Amino acid sequence: MTTHIFNSRVALTLAGLVLALGILGCAAPPPKFRPNLVQAKTAGAEKVTLASTPEVDLPTPDKAPVAGGKDPNAALEQAYGMKLSDDAGKAVIESVVADKPAASAGLMWGDVITSINGSSISDRPAAVKALLEQATWGKPMKVKVDRQQGQQIANLLLAVFGTPDHPERVSADGSPDPTLLKSFGFDIDKLQVSAGRVYSEQSGRQHGLYRLHCAHCHGISGDGAGPTAAFLNPYPRDYRQGKFKFKSTLGAEKPTHADLMRILTDGVPGTAMPSFRILPENEREALVEYVEYLSVRGETEIKLIDRAARGETIPTPAELAGGGPLVPDAEGNVTEPQDENNIVAGVVYTWRMADKKIVAPVAPSEEMTKWLAGEMPKNADGSPASADSPAEKRRLASLARGQAMFYGTAANCFSCHGDSQLGDGQTTDYDFWFQWRKSLDTKPAADRDKVIAEFEALGALPPRNIKPRDLRAGVYRGGRRPLDIYRRIFSGINGTPMPAISVLPAGAAPDPKKGVTTQEIWDLVHFVKSLPYQPLSQPPEQLEALREHQIQ
Amino acid sequence: MVDQFQPNAEAAGEFRAKIVAKAAPAEGAGAADAQKATGWGTIQGTIVVVGAPPKPGVVLINKDLEVCQPGGHPVVNDNLVINPSGGGLANVAIFAQGLKGENVHESAVAKKGSEVSFDQKTCLFLTHVATIQVGQKLKIINSDPISHNTLIRGNPEFNQTLSPGQAVMYEPAKPMTAPAGVACSIHPWMSAYLLPRDNGYVAVTNPEGKFEIKNLPAGINLKLQLWHEALKEYGGVEINGQKQPLSRGVLPIKIEPDKTTTLEIKIPASAFPAS
């Protein structure tokens, strides 16, 4: 096990060295986006490079096609429903038509024909000859192809999203073309000031913001596995799944722009993510834009990898980047792209709609607001109210209701957060980013260690359990405002085991069997916020089984 | 290993040119030539594991033992359920790929808003592989005396606490090509799958390994997808006595109208990794 950690840390340190050289402006090769090989393995691809050499039975029509002319593609399309690309050096299938023989047999665009009926095919003319002239009409022919979907995905991503140095072009000396990213609503100026190597202009304007402030933890591709990541607990966020924990929106929706700005400005208490309030606001805005860009790129990559791993065809370049521009109407709504192949537009759509999914609760009463702010009830003369006063009794009653909810079945907090709220109720689960590890739970230990080593060799960080929050510590990663805690309880924490709660419609009578009212949630928030100030009389008992399962 | 398939700038440049030119995929007369059903038939059969399968592991129950492990009996992992007599493999999902429009019989289209029940008891999901059509509602029920939360990694993603006796509705938004995982965070050993499809051509094998799909379109090239959570490769599959390796679990088949096609599918035990 240790050798594998060493190997991955050596790899990370080497990456860090390249990064450092890049930051210092030394002649290091430009950083590249690392492909998401962990996803390929998780999706079940036997070969994580998604390369294969399938052989299919291609049915031939009963007689030779009639279409003549110089371009054999007309005849090929008529006979098989496929076209070969112009590259005379290789027999590359440029496109296949759905429901025609080539597509039905399982051939896909991008496949390179390597042999037909056992004889090897070296170039396009040979393929044309075998398909049109030497075919035995009416009998299927065996076509073997070289399918490099992993390489195609990398090329597609480069075509749409550019490089870490240049989001708007495919290579350092390529022609810049920001129109595609602009059509998806990205601000190219912000992306360009965040991307690229670190330097500043004479005016003081800083460039390379992402590499300067973020990449050492979050990685060049936003994979949360930068050079310092292995030494942090918790690990930095992997943006590539499009999942964010601490946001104002419902469930699995994307965070709003304001949510990401808040994380940058306030940091995440209890983690290594610092506050970047010291940066000017325009630099923080540029970084938020770049994080969104990395997340859209990452989610696109994952969707492409999942399709390839399942043996489905990946979208053509035009299909992948189609479906735009996503222009909001008067109310700020965007039309959802209907074509499943418009993957980038589909992902960007979820980001644009985030503002419509904000959790905006009914505000608590004035009295409750005071309690949540830590203000104790006072008499008219300003002295603290006695324990018998109605105001103090109401405050204690709210705390008692909150405590009852904590241990009740509607919220059921104690089962994971523990009988003493120390976060020790259920510590054997994994969050979304380590689902690949959870799926190994049922394997014998030796097999499990082997698979973990394989994942780590592909760039995964050593897996850890997800621990529920210790509510007595008073550290709230998503923010300590009552509204923040309300949102965690109301809609759960996306990507983690923390569930949403069933909420009764406004004005409904309390019914613990069906859910909770908004006021009851505020009572629970009140109770949670009071916990750091409550004495813990004696340590709770741990179940032996929990200790056995915990990973350090 | 991490430098696998680095992108090629030249190829990417060509792709970029295609995007800019909005090169549409070749349309052709695909729609008119698409195959049409000549009638309706039934496929039924059994899926059996041949050879000694790996022993199922014992699950460690570390929470709510009075409810989840009544009487202290060991709880066995349910990711590979094989009938001791006959070797029938349960919880295999078989579904037809890519059928739509006129190739879908009216009996295979569920009434909009109809409910499919999904219950949990004794800290186990009672349906291990549940199927539903887009437009239906999944009624998630908690029949235990303790709370559970049901986490569905589908579209939309869903994660909500259920009190004892509570029922919550979940509506899938899109069909999926493979089942989505369902879990409980409080009791992490609980695991099930939900497969949302856009038609009713789905079957899940029962404890004897039997399945039946009625009113499939006859006379066209069908693609039946087999799926089991513990099965990753289908190279050694035998169908009706003949070796027929399936690429990624897809079985191409053509059936005749008004007839029942029977498939006796045998999977070697070596295809299942140790659990």
Side-chain angles (χ1 to χ4, degrees):
Chain A
M1 188 68 163
T2 32
T3 37
H4 301 293
I5 298 176
F6 178 68
N7 280 340
S8 62
R9 287 193 184 170
V10 164
L12 293 169
T13 318
L14 286 174
L17 187 65
V18 174
L19 201 56
L21 286 176
I23 291 175
L24 293 172
C26 298
K32 301 175 194 166
F33 288 126
R34 271 206 304 223
N36 194 346
L37 299 173
V38 169
Q39 182 65 30
K41 191 166 166 70
T42 313
E46 296 89 51
K47 282 206 195 115
V48 294
T49 49
L50 301 169
S52 56
T53 51
E55 189 170 43
V56 304
D57 286 320
L58 178 63
T60 59
D62 291 324
K63 54 182 174 42
V66 186
K70 285 201 145 218
D71 184 11
N73 267 336
L76 284 171
E77 211 177 350
Q78 196 194 33
Y80 304 107
M82 75 172 169
K83 278 189 189 164
L84 295 180
S85 84
D86 292 333
D87 183 354
K90 286 200 288 186
V92 182
I93 300 178
E94 187 179 58
S95 61
V96 293
V97 181
D99 294 327
K100 294 275 198 141
S104 307
L107 292 175
M108 301 177 186
W109 75 272
D111 286 351
V112 178
I113 301 178
T114 52
S115 87
I116 294 182
N117 281 337
S119 24
S120 83
I121 303 284
S122 48
D123 55 19
R124 186 182 191 240
V128 169
K129 196 165 170 203
L131 287 166
L132 291 179
E133 294 166 29
Q134 293 170 338
T136 315
W137 303 110
K139 271 189 70 171
M141 53 173 72
K142 283 206 172 312
V143 179
K144 193 161 193 203
V145 295
D146 185 23
R147 184 170 294 160
Q148 298 278 343
Q149 281 178 316
Q151 186 64 53
Q152 277 179 300
I153 291 172
N155 295 342
L156 281 170
L157 291 170
L158 177 58
V160 177
F161 295 101
T163 63
D165 274 348
H166 302 285
E168 78 291 350
R169 59 179 101 157
V170 299
S171 64
D173 39 18
S175 51
D177 179 15
T179 49
L180 183 54
L181 286 172
K182 270 191 187 163
S183 76
F184 287 118
F186 286 108
D187 184 333
I188 288 295
D189 295 322
K190 288 183 181 166
L191 291 183
Q192 284 178 319
V193 85
S194 293
R197 65 178 182 87
V198 177
Y199 72 97
S200 56
E201 298 172 19
Q202 196 174 25
S203 60
R205 190 176 190 218
Q206 183 69 48
H207 286 254
L209 293 168
Y210 185 79
R211 222 164 285 181
L212 181 57
H213 299 299
C214 323
H216 46 92
C217 289
H218 286 282
I220 284 288
S221 45
D223 58 4
T228 63
F231 306 98
L232 299 174
N233 190 352
Y235 291 132
R237 179 60 51 239
D238 180 351
Y239 310 132
R240 296 172 304 174
Q241 292 77 9
K243 280 193 174 312
F244 294 82
K245 283 165 72 168
F246 308 120
K247 53 193 179 61
S248 59
T249 52
L250 261 178
E253 303 291 341
K254 294 288 186 292
T256 62
H257 183 87
D259 288 334
L260 293 179
M261 276 299 279
R262 252 196 86 220
I263 302 259
L264 265 190
T265 307
D266 296 348
V268 181
T271 74
M273 173 69 182
S275 156
F276 287 94
R277 196 182 299 259
I278 201 171
L279 297 181
E281 194 178 329
N282 64 322
E283 288 189 6
R284 278 178 270 143
E285 293 272 356
L287 283 169
V288 166
E289 189 77 0
Y290 197 73
V291 166
E292 190 182 317
Y293 156 86
L294 286 176
S295 180
V296 170
R297 183 187 180 281
E299 219 181 317
T300 304
E301 182 181 23
I302 286 176
K303 290 190 150 83
L304 287 169
I305 287 175
D306 281 350
R307 296 212 354 197
R310 283 197 300 264
E312 296 167 26
T313 179
I314 55 178
T316 63
E319 286 173 335
L320 178 67
L326 295 168
V327 179
D329 63 14
E331 279 116 51
N333 288 320
V334 181
T335 337
E336 188 175 6
Q338 291 305 312
D339 190 348
E340 288 272 305
N341 289 322
N342 298 146
I343 292 181
V344 180
V347 174
V348 172
Y349 167 78
T350 59
W351 279 90
R352 297 288 164 264
M353 292 306 283
D355 282 311
K356 308 270 171 219
K357 316 276 186 175
I358 295 177
V359 174
V362 172
S365 64
E366 213 181 293
E367 206 176 30
M368 170 72 86
T369 311
K370 288 209 170 89
W371 298 336
L372 292 170
E375 283 180 38
M376 298 297 118
K378 290 194 172 59
N379 294 325
D381 61 1
S383 60
S386 76
D388 296 328
S389 67
E392 180 65 7
K393 278 200 177 139
R394 282 198 299 274
R395 188 184 75 88
L396 292 171
S398 165
L399 281 174
R401 285 195 301 273
Q403 183 178 35
M405 279 202 50
F406 190 92
Y407 292 102
T409 53
N412 208 45
C413 320
F414 72 98
S415 64
C416 289
H417 286 279
D419 291 328
S420 304
Q421 302 92 26
L422 289 168
D424 54 1
Q426 178 54 272
T427 54
T428 62
D429 206 354
Y430 294 90
D431 64 17
F432 178 79
W433 291 274
F434 283 121
Q435 275 305 299
W436 63 262
R437 170 60 185 86
K438 181 164 181 186
S439 66
L440 303 177
D441 259 348
T442 51
K443 284 195 185 304
D447 287 350
R448 197 189 309 152
D449 286 343
K450 184 164 149 286
V451 178
I452 292 176
E454 286 168 13
F455 270 97
E456 288 182 14
L458 293 174
L461 291 164
R464 292 184 188 139
N465 290 109
I466 181 105
K467 304 254 167 75
R469 182 63 45 238
D470 173 1
L471 295 170
R472 287 182 177 269
V475 177
Y476 308 106
R477 291 188 188 169
R480 65 172 194 264
R481 300 176 303 180
L483 175 61
D484 298 318
I485 298 174
Y486 183 101
R487 284 176 170 151
R488 303 291 95 76
I489 297 172
F490 182 92
S491 90
I493 301 180
N494 187 218
T496 72
M498 170 78 181
I501 204 170
S502 301
V503 179
L504 297 166
D511 183 357
K513 286 211 172 61
K514 289 234 174 82
V516 302
T517 63
T518 311
Q519 288 312 309
E520 286 178 311
I521 301 185
W522 285 121
D523 284 329
L524 183 54
V525 173
H526 186 197
F527 173 70
V528 165
K529 289 222 77 176
S530 74
L531 283 171
Y533 306 99
Q534 303 290 343
L536 181 61
S537 57
Q538 63 185 74
E541 282 166 3
Q542 299 273 2
L543 293 169
E544 279 314 299
L546 283 176
R547 281 204 204 280
E548 228 181 324
H549 252 254
Q550 274 178 32
I551 293 181
Q552 280 75 21
Chain B
M1 205 20 169
V2 292
D3 272 333
Q4 291 288 339
F5 54 87
Q6 280 302 318
N8 178 299
E10 210 185 293
E14 282 171 30
F15 286 166
R16 182 58 86 92
K18 286 196 179 135
I19 294 171
V20 169
K22 286 201 191 330
E27 290 292 338
D33 274 12
Q35 306 168 78
K36 278 211 192 64
T38 58
W40 311 99
T42 300
I43 295 184
Q44 63 156 54
T46 343
I47 302 186
V48 159
V49 175
V50 175
K55 275 178 56 105
V58 171
V59 176
L60 188 68
I61 309 287
N62 60 8
K63 199 126 187 81
D64 295 317
L65 284 110
E66 335 72 52
V67 177
C68 304
Q69 196 164 18
H73 300 299
V75 176
V76 156
N77 193 357
D78 57 359
N79 71 337
L80 182 56
V81 177
I82 300 178
N83 197 319
S85 74
L89 179 60
N91 299 326
V92 181
I94 304 123
F95 50 103
Q97 287 182 350
L99 292 177
K100 40 176 165 278
E102 287 176 2
N103 288 336
V104 176
H105 194 265
E106 57 196 9
S107 69
V109 180
K111 186 156 160 286
K112 245 181 149 40
S114 53
E115 286 175 6
V116 175
S117 277
F118 186 75
D119 201 352
Q120 47 203 304
K121 198 162 168 57
T122 327
C123 308
L124 290 170
F125 292 113
L126 297 184
T127 320
H128 192 70
V129 180
T131 63
I132 192 171
Q133 290 188 43
V134 174
Q136 286 186 301
K137 291 186 197 187
L138 189 73
K139 188 174 182 185
I140 308 170
I141 310 166
N142 176 4
S143 296
D144 261 337
I146 50 171
S147 293
H148 287 290
N149 73 300
T150 305
L151 201 172
I152 304 179
R153 299 195 191 286
N155 181 356
E157 196 167 296
F158 177 89
N159 185 1
Q160 203 163 325
T161 306
L162 277 91
S163 305
Q166 192 182 358
V168 168
M169 294 296 182
Y170 169 77
E171 292 183 47
K174 289 207 173 102
M176 295 175 82
T177 47
V182 183
C184 173
S185 312
I186 306 166
H187 312 98
W189 64 84
M190 287 173 69
S191 149
Y193 291 87
L194 176 68
L195 178 60
R197 296 291 297 165
D198 44 8
N199 55 52
Y201 294 129
V202 203
V204 179
T205 54
N206 66 5
E208 278 117 52
K210 289 195 173 25
F211 68 92
E212 185 182 38
I213 309 178
K214 293 198 173 122
N215 291 323
L216 280 158
I220 65 173
N221 293 325
L222 292 177
K223 284 206 173 106
L224 286 186
Q225 170 81 59
L226 269 71
W227 178 93
H228 185 272
E229 68 185 279
L231 187 53
K232 294 290 179 264
E233 64 100 19
Y234 297 82
V237 168
E238 242 185 60
I239 302 187
N240 288 341
Q242 287 207 318
K243 276 219 178 304
Q244 189 172 348
L246 304 178
S247 166
R248 291 197 171 89
V250 178
L251 166 59
I253 190 170
K254 209 173 197 174
I255 59 171
E256 288 167 48
D258 301 323
K259 283 209 168 66
T260 301
T261 312
T262 307
L263 299 171
E264 300 294 330
I265 303 175
K266 288 200 168 83
I267 304 177
S270 53
F272 295 97
S275 68

